[in-house]
Each structure stands twice: as structure tokens, then as C-alpha cells.
Amino acid sequence: MGLVAVAAPAQAAVSCQVTYTKAWDNGSGFGANINITNTGDPLTSWSLTWTWPGNQGGIQGWSANYSQSGQNVTATSLSYNGSLATGASTGIGFNGSYSGTNTNPSNFAINGVSCGGTTPTVSLVVSPTSVSVPEGGTATYAVRLSAQPTGNVTVATTAGSGDTNLTVSSGASLTFTTSNWNTNQNVTLAAAEDSDTTNGTRPFTVAASGLSSVTVNATEADNDSTTTQSLVVSSTSVSVPEGGTATYTVRLAAQPSGNVTVTNTAGSGDTNITVSSGGSLTFTTGNWSTPQTVTLAAAEDSDTTAGTRPITVASSGLTSVTVTATEADNDGGTGGPRADNPYSGAGVYVNPQWRAAALAEPGGSRIANQPTGVWFDRISALTGNGSPTTGSMGLADHLDQAVIQDAANGSAPMVIQIVVYNLPGRDCAALASNGELGPTELPRYKSEYIDPMAAILARPAYANLRIVAIIEIDSLPNLVTNVGGRATATAMCDTMLANRGYVEGVGYALAKLGAVPNVYNYIDAAHHGWVGWDDNFGATANMMFSAATASGSTAANVHGFITNTANTSALTEPYVGTVTEQLRQTTWIDWNRYNDELTFAQAFRSRLIQSGFSSSIGMLIDTSRNGWGNCVQTPCQPTQATRPTAASTSTDPNTFVNQSRIDRRIHKGNWCNQAGAGLGERPRAAPATGIDAYVWIKPPGESDGSSSLIPNDEGKGFDRMCDPTYTGNARNGNSMSGALPNAPVSGHWFSAQFQQLMANAYPPLS
């Protein structure tokens, strides 16, 4: 019998590129992001392997199935990211532990074939690049590297041609190492006193060998441009802790011809508040521009009143300035009766740091006084390291400022909105908002995050505030929609469902924060384009009741729910109208029973009550980026929204919906830095039945996630849904991501997004 030659089956030619980036490292634990690029034939699945050079292990990862034997690690693809076309990339990541050294692995292979490795491009990150330096004073900017270098990097700042009164005071030479590369170091510029009236400028070049330089443009804030003398007081509202002290500073606006005496005198009011030091200050022709400190003290008392007293700053011949001092009482104010709707009749806290960022943007003054949420997305955020004008403010810093704003708010109460956002294994379906805690670190979440937060909120000094706590964005809906055999499932969501980390964590937060009488807990309830389908609607409501009754909590700890947080779903769709059975079949609505946030929030409230929550619960809707208004620039940019002005006349259902809808996203599953979005309704109380308030919980201008991989020490990964070139996955119908380009890490300031939101605002900005 003759032999028949059988051709061997064709095998895909594997070629790959792998980038490994360490996201954080605390000496015993660490996190890493891995980007895999297929440079060979298309793959239908992949298995990534590497060998640890040291004693690393304990992997808890996402976007792949992980196993480890000795020092050898294998990460295999999941159903949604196994197919990689030629040139396509996917990102995975994990948290792990180690002892000894933590050297990066380098011997990666895909399906047994060694991959080329890439080192993240190192560049200079400088912020800001425009600095105003007060004449006779100083100003700073920060420098860091964008990625971990292979060795020490020296960064030099040199002055260019221009106003020679502007000089580098400190930080002319900075050294970054393999461990401190992502820690900001400051460069201080000084502006010498002069007699001209010109706001001189001078460029400063920030440079390091082999890296592209960055130019910082410095402008002298001249103080000789006017002959009018005046008093310059650093703050006209000061919170003085009972039993403690607080300060403000005073200087003159211009050089005097001789000595000037400035007095600080307490007026009528709470006599427990006194001027402790600095009651009389002397300014000369030499020290007139140097701020001098006035210290106020508040004596201990037994009342529960946050008393106030005016302090008059005065000098002969000059207009006096009044500083309002408010005692931060520590004897436990009553806070008044608990409100059914905490927003009714109340002022809402304006974050001074967000306000400053908004004011620094062209046109930003139009919205800079709007209240926004304050996000606490890691343990260190609770303490912060600065003040309202510098550094990062901690929880107590914001509460202190809210007390000051409350004192200036007359008899109306004051609401402050905080976002509780640090669950273990956080946001199991979106890498851009992953957090610092691994999936098994529920004990740390309780003891290092929630317990300290509750202790701060319970301080007597804050008893008169209404504290709205937004509980764990995106967590509980993920346990319904992204688990099990669904096409949208992820391994990390399956893990968090199985270990009950989300359910127990949310329950614990509700119990601890709910025990503080003036805290109002609102659980995040996703949005209509996530939960509005029949399979998700009731199951999500039931999941929330399970969490509300876990870890010793009861449903009474839940004051309400919030929808559309950080999302762009339209508030109403007036031109599409009621979702009929015919419209449910369209591609955009896709069998959802809801097509806007207002009808969804009202219906979901009823379903939550059916699941066991009180009939008094209220809903919040985040309208910070769901306006989708007509752009005001000419010509209108392709990425900007064009708002319909009437219903379509088409008889084709798909055409009718697409021409009539306000929401201009490519797909309802798109969520990251959406091109064309605009500011929505301004924050206001009780706008509709069952709705406690429209709010801006996601501060406009804060990024949803980076457009490409950016190493960071915040535990935040890179999600392809933030990449404008990404062609999608099962969660967005394999559609383009619709994301803006050049976005920074989530939570960081994104000027282009802020400008787009203002341009597309609806109602429009005046």
C-alpha cells in the first residue's frame, strides 16, 4: 500500500512584545501592570509565562487566570481578551508580595515563544508649566519622571533670557532614583524686588540628559504697578479649634515711605476667641512685603456652639479688613434634627482645590463656585499633606473648610459630599480605577480606611455638618453583570463575588459611617445603561439589600442611592420619548426598558423599596458630564456634541432613535473620558419626584483614566476603554471606545476634558 503524505497543520507564527511596569511597591507588597502586544499572526488565545528573579509570589490578579509553580508564573487569557489581531494589545495586572529584592522579570514568553521586552519611555513630568511669582516672594512647580529609570537621573533647571529678577531659589538640580522617580520634587522660583511696574517674564528650562526638555514660563506679579497702599490679609475666614489656635498673615501691598503699624483687634462676639499673638505688627521699608503672622486662640468651654468673632485688621489711613474667626467646637453640636432630604435648604461645600483648578482654566470662573464631591480613593488620602492652597487636603482639612463655609452660610446648614472608594479588588471590571488593596485585603479596608474615616467624621467639631457619603462607586452592580458565564464576566469580579469582599466591605462601611448621626449614606447604583435590562434590574436591587444587611449593618443605614456617577447617560431623552416595545428593539436601546437617567432612577427607587429598603429613600443623579449640548466653538469640532432640537421624522426605528437621542456616545457601554460630553444640569435640591438632588460628584476636569499606560503609585491600571484607538469588547458591543486622547491617570486634572465639558454644557454656560 502506498504512503500518503499528510501536511502538518499550519501554526500561527507567534511574535510578541511585553511591557512590565511596577505600579507600586511598599517593601513587602507590590502591584504591576503588563501590556501584551501581538506582533505576529492573529491569536485566538494566549498563555504568558515568566520566571521571577527573586522571591515574589502571592499573586492576586485581573484580566487573566494566574498560576505559579516555584518561580515560574503562567497567566492565561480569558474569553474576552484571548483574541489578539496582529498589532493588537491587551493589558493585565496583579498585586503580589515578596521578600528581599523585587527585581522586574524580563524573560516573557507567549505560547512558549520568547517576547521582546520594552522599557516604558522615561520623560519629564512638570506641573504647572506657567508660574506667577509675586515680586518679593516665591512660587513653585513640581517635577517627576513618567516611568522608572534604570539608574539615577539628574534634572537641572536653568534660567533663560528675560527678566533677571526671576531666579531659581532652590531645586536647580534634582536627583531621581529607581525608587523615588514618581515622587514630585519642587523647584522654587523667586522674584526680587524692583522699582519698575512691569510684569516681567523669563523661561526656565527643565532638562535631563537624553530626555526632552520642558519649558516653564515664569511671570513676575509686579507690586509696583499701583501707588495705592493697602493691607493684604491671607484669609478673611479662619476656623479656630476649641482649645487650640489658628493663624492668618498680614503684609502691605506696596513699599511705604516709613514705618507702618497694623493692629489686629477682636470685636464683639464669642469672647473665647482672642488674639493670642500679633496684635500689633510693624512694617518697614525693608520688610513690608514679608507676611507676618497673627495667631488666634479659642479657649475651652462647655457649650456646643461654634461661636464667631470678627477681628479687625487696621492701620491709620488704610481701609481695614475684617477676619471672621469661627470656633470649631469640640463639645458635640446637635447638628439639628436629621433631614429627610439633606440637600433641602442647605448650602453645599465647594472644594477650594477644585475651585482653584477651575479658576486657572480659561472661562472656568463660570462654574468654579459649584459644589463637587471629594474623593478618598486610597488610605493616604484620609490624612493628606497640605492646606486649601498647597499639597493635598485630607478628610479633616476638607471638613474644617466646610465648617468655615458653614459659618459664612448664615442659618442654612452645610452639606459636604465625600466619596468612599477603596474596596479590596476595587472595580473588578475596569483597570483604570483599580485600587491599592488586593482582593483579600478586607481587614485593611476596615481597620486602615473605614475605621479612621468614621473616627474623623464623628468629631464634635463637625457635628453641625450634613455629611453625604457616596459608598463605593461601581462595586455591587459588577457582582451581577460581570460574573459567571456572562460574556462580560471577569475573573476578578468572580473572585469578589465568591469571597464577599464587596458585600462585606460595603456593609461594614454602612454600619460604621451610619453610626455617625449626621452622616447620610448613598450607595452607588450604576446607571440605566448598565442596570436597566430585566436580567440586571431586580438582581442588582437585591444585591444591594444583601450588602446593606451584611457585616452587622441594617437597611436603616442607607439614606438613598446615586446613579450615573462619573457617567454621561443623558438626564432625559425628550425627543425619543417613551421606550415602546418597538424602540426597545433598536440597536441603541438594545432591549433596555430605560433610555435616560431620570426615569431609571425613579423606577429603580421603587424596585429598591420592593427589595426591602425604606420608602423614604431618596435618589441622587450625577449630572456633571451628561449635558451633551451644542458646542459653542466655531467651527464645531468633530468630537463635540451636536444636540438634537426636535424628534426625527424617520419611520425607521433605528434611524429615529439615533437622530433623536441626546446621548451622543457610540455605545452605552462607553464610560471613559467621552468625546463630546458636556456639563449637565447644575447641582440643585429636590428637582423631581423621588430625587433628593442633582449633584456633581465626579468633579469636571478629573480624568476617568489614562489614554495609555502611565506608571503611578496609586494602584491605578490602564484600561483600553480609555484608549481612543481601542475597538472595544463584549461590554460595549465591540465598538470604538469614544475616549478623548492624551488623558492622564484617573482623578488627575485633564484640561482638555474640562474645556470640552464647558463648551458642550447644557444648559449652556452664560
Side-chain angles (χ1 to χ4, degrees):
M1 185 172 66
L3 298 177
V4 179
V6 180
Q11 300 293 317
V14 177
S15 178
C16 45
Q17 202 79 5
V18 173
T19 299
Y20 177 96
T21 305
K22 199 180 299 177
W24 61 274
D25 189 331
N26 64 11
S28 60
F30 71 107
N33 296 309
I34 300 176
N35 191 66
I36 303 168
T37 301
N38 179 22
T39 56
D41 290 345
L43 297 173
T44 57
S45 64
W46 48 262
S47 177
L48 172 69
T49 57
W50 74 87
T51 301
W52 288 120
N55 185 28
Q56 294 106 329
I59 288 179
Q60 297 288 341
W62 50 89
S63 299
N65 289 317
Y66 296 83
S67 62
Q68 181 169 341
S69 176
Q71 292 177 291
N72 299 316
V73 181
T74 301
T76 57
S77 59
L78 302 177
S79 59
Y80 68 88
N81 63 359
S83 296
L84 289 180
T86 302
S89 298
T90 190
I92 66 175
F94 61 87
N95 294 321
S97 59
Y98 72 95
S99 60
T101 59
N102 187 24
T103 305
N104 292 353
S106 57
N107 53 346
F108 293 98
I110 290 287
N111 297 348
V113 178
S114 295
C115 296
T118 63
T119 300
T121 302
V122 178
S123 60
L124 296 170
V125 180
V126 181
S127 179
T129 55
S130 295
V131 179
S132 176
V133 189
E135 183 179 328
T138 60
T140 63
Y141 58 87
V143 181
R144 63 175 176 86
L145 302 183
S146 66
Q148 188 177 42
T150 57
N152 289 359
V153 175
T154 300
V155 178
T157 295
T158 56
S161 58
D163 188 340
T164 56
N165 286 319
L166 292 164
T167 57
V168 180
S169 175
S170 66
S173 180
L174 307 172
T175 300
F176 293 90
T177 68
T178 55
S179 58
N180 79 342
W181 58 271
N182 60 351
T183 301
N184 284 328
Q185 297 189 50
N186 287 334
V187 177
T188 302
L189 304 182
E193 289 288 349
D194 58 30
S195 57
D196 63 42
T197 59
T198 303
N199 292 320
T201 62
R202 192 177 197 183
F204 290 82
T205 301
V206 185
S209 178
L211 304 183
S212 297
S213 62
V214 177
T215 299
V216 175
N217 295 305
T219 302
E220 174 198 56
D222 191 83
N223 59 19
D224 302 299
S225 58
T226 176
T227 58
T228 302
Q229 181 64 277
S230 63
L231 299 168
V232 180
V233 181
S234 62
S235 177
T236 56
S237 294
V238 177
S239 177
V240 189
E242 182 179 328
T245 61
T247 63
Y248 61 89
T249 64
V250 182
R251 65 174 177 86
L252 301 182
Q255 188 176 43
S257 57
N259 289 359
V260 173
T261 299
V262 177
T263 59
N264 295 269
T265 307
S268 60
D270 188 342
T271 56
N272 286 319
I273 300 173
T274 57
V275 178
S276 175
S277 65
S280 179
L281 308 172
T282 300
F283 293 92
T284 68
T285 56
N287 78 347
W288 61 272
S289 62
T290 301
Q292 297 190 48
T293 300
V294 179
T295 302
L296 305 180
E300 288 285 354
D301 57 31
S302 59
D303 64 44
T304 59
T305 303
T308 63
R309 193 176 195 184
I311 311 296
T312 301
V313 186
S315 182
S316 178
L318 302 181
T319 301
S320 62
V321 177
T322 299
V323 175
T324 301
T326 303
E327 175 197 56
D329 190 84
N330 62 12
D331 299 299
T334 64
R338 190 166 176 84
D340 177 60
N341 179 355
Y343 291 87
S344 292
V348 187
Y349 173 66
V350 177
N351 180 351
Q353 293 198 310
W354 180 82
R355 182 177 185 275
L359 286 173
E361 294 280 348
S365 60
R366 294 174 294 174
I367 63 169
N369 289 324
Q370 291 291 350
T372 55
V374 184
W375 290 57
F376 295 94
D377 60 359
R378 54 195 183 279
I379 293 168
S380 62
L382 296 178
T383 54
N385 62 3
S387 70
T389 54
T390 61
S392 62
M393 295 171 65
L395 177 56
D397 297 321
H398 283 288
L399 292 165
D400 287 341
Q401 288 298 306
V403 169
I404 292 173
Q405 292 183 22
D406 187 25
N409 198 40
S411 60
M414 175 63 62
V415 170
I416 179 172
Q417 305 167 119
I418 66 170
V419 180
V420 182
Y421 190 50
N422 199 31
L423 273 177
R426 187 178 73 195
D427 207 346
C428 55
L431 300 180
S433 46
N434 286 159
E436 64 184 350
L437 299 179
T440 62
E441 293 191 280
L442 181 60
R444 285 192 66 198
Y445 175 77
K446 293 178 178 180
S447 64
E448 297 181 38
Y449 180 68
I450 293 298
D451 288 354
M453 176 182 288
I456 293 170
L457 297 180
R459 291 177 184 174
Y462 311 132
N464 289 316
L465 298 174
R466 295 178 179 177
I467 302 169
V468 167
I470 307 299
I471 306 298
E472 295 296 352
I473 309 303
D474 295 341
S475 59
L476 299 176
N478 273 319
L479 301 186
V480 174
T481 64
N482 297 319
V483 295
R486 295 195 181 204
T488 56
T490 72
M492 180 60 84
C493 289
D494 282 333
T495 295
M496 299 317 299
L497 177 64
N499 71 14
R500 289 180 58 84
Y502 285 4
V503 169
E504 298 295 334
V506 168
Y508 189 82
L510 291 170
K512 294 290 289 189
L513 303 184
V516 181
N518 56 316
V519 169
Y520 298 77
N521 289 321
Y522 288 79
I523 301 177
D524 184 73
H527 53 86
H528 86 273
W530 184 350
V531 177
W533 284 274
D534 290 348
D535 288 349
N536 304 338
F537 195 71
T540 301
N542 293 338
M543 176 65 72
M544 291 178 173
F545 189 79
S546 295
T549 53
S551 296
S553 180
T554 69
N557 287 318
V558 180
H559 198 79
F561 295 80
I562 181 171
T563 76
N564 208 44
T565 308
N567 203 263
T568 54
S569 296
L571 183 64
T572 61
E573 288 285 5
Y575 306 125
V576 175
T578 303
V579 179
T580 63
E581 285 301 308
Q582 183 184 40
L583 293 183
R584 285 185 69 207
Q585 301 176 47
T586 60
T587 302
W588 173 253
I589 298 178
D590 191 25
W591 298 100
N592 200 315
R593 293 198 181 275
Y594 306 95
N595 194 43
D596 63 59
E597 279 309 294
L598 181 56
T599 57
F600 166 74
Q602 291 169 326
F604 196 55
R605 175 180 178 273
S606 297
R607 184 60 182 81
L608 288 160
I609 294 170
Q610 182 183 335
S611 290
F613 289 100
S614 168
S615 60
S616 66
I617 58 171
M619 306 297 288
L620 305 176
I621 301 176
D622 188 349
T623 59
S624 61
R625 54 181 69 191
N626 69 345
W628 297 98
N630 292 319
C631 71
V632 297
Q633 298 177 356
T634 303
C636 192
Q637 299 301 309
T639 59
Q640 293 180 315
T642 302
R643 188 180 180 93
T645 57
S648 170
T649 58
S650 175
T651 57
D652 175 72
N654 276 306
T655 303
F656 171 81
V657 169
N658 284 326
Q659 291 181 348
S660 302
R661 60 184 169 98
I662 300 299
D663 189 337
R664 306 312 298 170
R665 283 178 295 177
I666 299 169
H667 189 277
K668 287 189 178 185
N670 289 355
W671 53 268
C672 192
N673 300 321
Q674 289 300 284
L679 299 169
E681 289 278 353
R682 313 306 178 251
R684 57 191 172 99
T689 301
I691 310 299
D692 281 352
Y694 295 151
V695 293
W696 283 6
I697 294 301
K698 179 70 171 182
E702 290 191 4
S703 172
D704 295 324
S706 57
S707 301
S708 58
L709 180 64
I710 299 178
N712 63 88
D713 61 357
E714 300 173 26
K716 297 171 182 175
F718 166 53
D719 196 301
R720 289 299 305 279
M721 286 299 293
C722 301
D723 177 357
T725 68
Y726 185 47
T727 55
N729 54 43
R731 291 190 291 280
N732 82 327
N734 295 299
S735 304
M736 295 298 292
S737 70
L740 289 169
N742 304 315
V745 170
S746 63
H748 291 221
W749 191 256
F750 189 10
S751 178
Q753 182 211 68
F754 185 83
Q755 288 296 326
Q756 176 195 263
L757 291 174
M758 290 195 299
N760 290 339
Y762 193 88
L765 298 177
S766 57

